[in-house]
Amino acid sequence: MVAGEAIKDVEPMYGAYYLPRKFKIAVAIPPNNDVDVFANDVGFIAIADQKGRLIGFNVTAGGGMGVTHSNKKTYPRTGDVLGFCTTDRGHKVAESILTTQRDNGNRADRKNARLKYTIDRMGLDAFKAEVEKRQGFAFEPAKPFHFESNVDEFGWIKDAQGKYHFTCFIENGRVQDEPGKDFKTGLREIAKVHKGRFRLTANQHLIVSEVPESELSTIKGLLAQYRLDNVQFSGLRLSSSACVAFPTCGLAMAESERYLPVLIDKVEKICEENGLRNDSIVMRMTGCPNGCARPYIAEVAFVGKAPGSYLMLLGGGYYGQRLNKIYRENVTEPQILAILGPMIKRYALERQKGERFGDFVIRAGYISATTAGKHWYEGMGGEGEYREAGL
């Protein structure tokens, strides 16, 4: 604004105010769901024709991770698939979902202001109808798609343009120099000669991207010199992630980034004893319930409640398609290991072909499947003989 209100800055979609809460959008390309598309307010799942050409997107809406301890009005939620749209209509779909949330989101209660609560309050059918009204066309039926994992693919790949890309394993996204792993110095040296790009992944890792054939040997040499080329870790570690928590985050209630690698050291031994070193089990940890590391869709997760004390959650879908559920309300490290030890052994002995850990703990009766975010608290504490005493 200038004197006399001759000129005003107008935001055409937001209007006079911001949205009720944050609004996240992700694009996933099957079969890899490495962005956890169902955890976002809006998701676009790329659909290709038989020749591999992009023809449009299956659209999801209503994902979100944030929870408040002991407040059952709050819960995590995975996004619902609304239907399919062609590529030329994608921007209009995103705009229509955004403005529906803008006009219907809860501005009175910050803890119930995300799109996930708006959809559950309106009802999915009514929400979808409102979006279709605003965008001026109906969604087509969703197209078939298949996800296999939400874990990054580490190492080298070559793209269709002949460029090379290397995904480095950066545990919990921490770039620093430490004994035997001078990652910060190594990346600085690579940046001095690399003419391509660096890309960050949604799982906190880093891609040295767009390396031409002529520079391949130089980049490989630097990666090896600083041990950035090492991806020979257990399946559990490669599939893990944690939020920053202490000492950086003022919302943290417990350790996360600094502690998860220590816990994995101990759980790895259990996996190795049972022949599961190379098996991927998605384990995540956060220092508070806000869900920054997307713990509520992990196969096994820990959410901080106090120093050294965590919620333990089980039963998430391996590729991020299903919420987990609270298995224990307060666990410390000895309890975690005591629970996971026999559980992992049983998984190794009794799993069906191709069965993932998150699916196994449901079939084996440890926990019930979460069918919708608003039902997240139903069945918390375990099932049958595994139910936590007092619940």
Side-chain angles (χ1 to χ4, degrees):
M1 182 187 300
V2 297
E5 300 187 5
I7 299 176
K8 290 185 177 181
D9 185 15
V10 176
E11 212 303 316
M13 286 191 290
Y14 283 180
Y17 306 100
Y18 289 121
L19 294 175
R21 282 300 301 274
K22 58 188 174 184
F23 193 87
K24 300 180 179 180
I25 302 177
V27 178
I29 304 175
N32 201 330
N33 184 26
D34 50 4
V35 297
D36 270 332
V37 68
F38 299 110
N40 290 269
D41 295 271
V42 179
F44 290 92
I45 300 171
I47 304 297
D49 63 17
Q50 292 183 343
K51 295 183 178 180
R53 296 173 299 194
L54 180 68
I55 59 171
F57 304 93
N58 284 344
V59 181
T60 69
M65 295 287 97
V67 176
T68 299
H69 283 317
S70 302
N71 183 348
K72 291 190 176 182
K73 291 182 178 180
T74 68
Y75 49 82
R77 191 183 191 279
T78 50
D80 295 294
V81 178
L82 300 180
F84 173 84
C85 75
T86 54
T87 53
D88 60 310
R89 289 177 161 182
H91 70 286
K92 188 62 178 177
V93 170
E95 178 182 326
S96 300
I97 295 173
L98 184 149
T99 59
T100 301
Q101 164 66 350
R102 178 196 66 194
D103 297 340
N104 294 277
N106 188 343
R107 294 181 181 271
D109 184 354
R110 190 171 184 271
K111 294 186 183 300
N112 282 92
R114 288 289 295 275
L115 178 63
K116 59 182 177 178
Y117 302 118
T118 304
I119 291 177
D120 283 345
R121 188 176 65 254
M122 294 178 65
L124 181 61
D125 291 341
F127 175 83
K128 179 179 176 181
E130 179 62 23
V131 171
E132 290 179 330
K133 176 183 175 183
R134 291 174 184 239
Q135 65 194 23
F137 55 88
F139 287 105
E140 297 177 37
K143 306 289 187 183
F145 67 96
H146 174 67
F147 284 131
E148 296 177 355
S149 170
N150 62 0
V151 178
D152 286 344
E153 297 181 3
F154 299 96
W156 285 103
I157 64 166
K158 184 179 181 180
D159 67 24
Q161 287 72 45
K163 297 288 183 69
Y164 294 84
H165 312 261
F166 185 85
T167 303
C168 306
F169 175 74
I170 309 291
E171 193 161 22
N172 300 323
R174 177 61 63 182
V175 175
Q176 61 186 6
D177 287 343
E178 55 185 88
K181 294 192 297 183
D182 292 328
F183 287 178
K184 188 174 182 180
T185 298
L187 291 173
R188 183 186 297 116
E189 292 304 308
I190 291 172
K192 290 178 181 178
V193 298
H194 180 40
K195 295 182 177 62
R197 302 183 184 187
F198 293 95
R199 298 182 183 273
L200 303 179
T201 79
N203 289 314
Q204 303 173 308
H205 304 295
L206 184 142
I207 304 173
V208 183
S209 187
E210 301 174 18
V211 180
E213 184 92 40
S214 60
E215 296 177 8
L216 192 57
S217 61
T218 300
I219 299 299
K220 282 186 174 181
L222 288 168
L223 288 169
Q225 179 181 345
Y226 294 99
R227 300 190 66 180
L228 283 159
D229 64 342
N230 183 12
V231 294
Q232 300 305 310
F233 299 99
S234 70
L236 178 68
R237 195 175 298 273
L238 291 172
S239 307
S240 68
S241 60
C243 73
V244 64
F246 292 141
T248 304
C249 179
L251 300 176
M253 301 174 182
E255 288 283 0
S256 182
E257 178 201 326
R258 298 189 297 189
Y259 172 55
L260 183 58
V262 176
L263 179 62
I264 286 178
D265 287 341
K266 299 174 182 181
V267 179
E268 267 181 342
K269 293 179 181 178
I270 299 172
C271 292
E272 290 170 355
E273 289 168 358
N274 291 282
L276 300 176
R277 174 176 173 78
N278 296 320
D279 288 74
S280 174
I281 298 175
V282 178
M283 178 182 286
R284 294 174 178 172
M285 177 177 284
T286 58
C288 84
N290 289 326
C292 292
R294 307 187 298 280
Y296 306 113
I297 46 178
E299 295 183 285
V300 54
F302 304 95
V303 175
K305 297 190 74 176
S309 179
Y310 299 85
L311 285 177
M312 181 177 183
L313 304 101
L314 292 175
Y318 178 70
Y319 56 86
Q321 80 281 16
R322 182 182 62 242
L323 294 169
N324 53 28
K325 194 185 296 290
I326 298 170
Y327 183 67
R328 293 291 182 265
E329 285 208 87
N330 280 289
V331 291
T332 59
E333 183 180 287
Q335 293 169 312
I336 291 169
L337 298 176
I339 292 169
L340 286 179
M343 194 179 289
I344 289 173
K345 181 177 181 179
R346 187 178 172 192
Y347 172 59
L349 293 172
E350 300 180 17
R351 62 179 171 166
Q352 298 174 351
K353 183 177 180 181
E355 187 174 33
R356 295 295 180 178
F357 184 76
D359 299 323
F360 171 78
V361 295
I362 294 171
R363 183 177 65 82
Y366 290 102
I367 199 81
S368 61
T370 302
T371 57
K374 58 188 176 183
H375 303 311
W376 188 58
Y377 294 98
E378 296 176 7
M380 63 179 284
E383 292 287 296
E385 63 182 295
Y386 305 108
R387 187 159 178 79
E388 186 172 16
L391 289 179

